[in-house]
Amino acid sequence: MKYIFEVTVKDGHSAEEYADAWVRASELIQQAPGARGTELHRKIGEPNKLIAIASWDSKVDRDAMDARKDSRIAEIIKSAAPFVEIRPLGEFEDPEWVVLPPGQNSD
């Protein structure tokens, strides 16, 4: 499953500032069972708008990590909160339909 959210970095701050906190928190989060990695993408034409994608084996795994309430993760997130607005876009199942270019498989 994918947990996706949009991040808007406020004026006077940079995406790189947020990325620093995001990487530090993600390194801790990725130690949880079921974690599959995270991605942070900058929006084309809007350098202070990002989309973050966290991949998990299941929603149960993601919820279990969230329920742990790791204070280190909470502190990192809190440190970035004053200069970003975060809008959850939702939780999505892994794709049921995939079309790839010829010669590629979806292993």
Side-chain angles (χ1 to χ4, degrees):
M1 64 90 52
K2 308 269 191 243
Y3 179 66
I4 303 174
F5 54 96
E6 180 184 70
V7 178
T8 303
V9 181
K10 295 178 182 177
D11 289 340
H13 297 277
S14 69
E16 288 75 14
E17 282 180 86
Y18 177 71
D20 176 66
W22 182 84
V23 167
R24 288 184 289 121
S26 290
E27 288 173 342
L28 296 171
I29 292 167
Q30 290 308 298
Q31 295 173 28
R36 285 195 203 164
T38 57
E39 302 173 15
L40 189 61
H41 302 260
R42 191 185 312 256
K43 186 171 183 180
I44 295 171
E46 292 186 53
N48 282 352
K49 189 154 304 229
L50 311 164
I51 190 167
I53 303 168
S55 298
W56 293 87
D57 285 342
S58 69
K59 180 171 173 19
V60 170
D61 288 329
R62 195 223 174 255
D63 290 349
M65 180 284 307
D66 208 25
R68 275 194 345 216
K69 303 292 183 206
D70 185 322
S71 62
R72 298 171 299 166
I73 296 169
E75 282 300 314
I76 293 168
I77 292 170
K78 183 179 174 183
S79 74
F83 61 90
V84 295
E85 292 177 11
I86 297 178
R87 182 172 67 101
L89 299 179
E91 299 171 333
F92 297 83
E93 297 287 346
D94 282 337
E96 294 180 53
W97 307 273
V98 177
V99 177
L100 299 173
Q104 293 187 8
N105 57 32
S106 62
D107 295 342

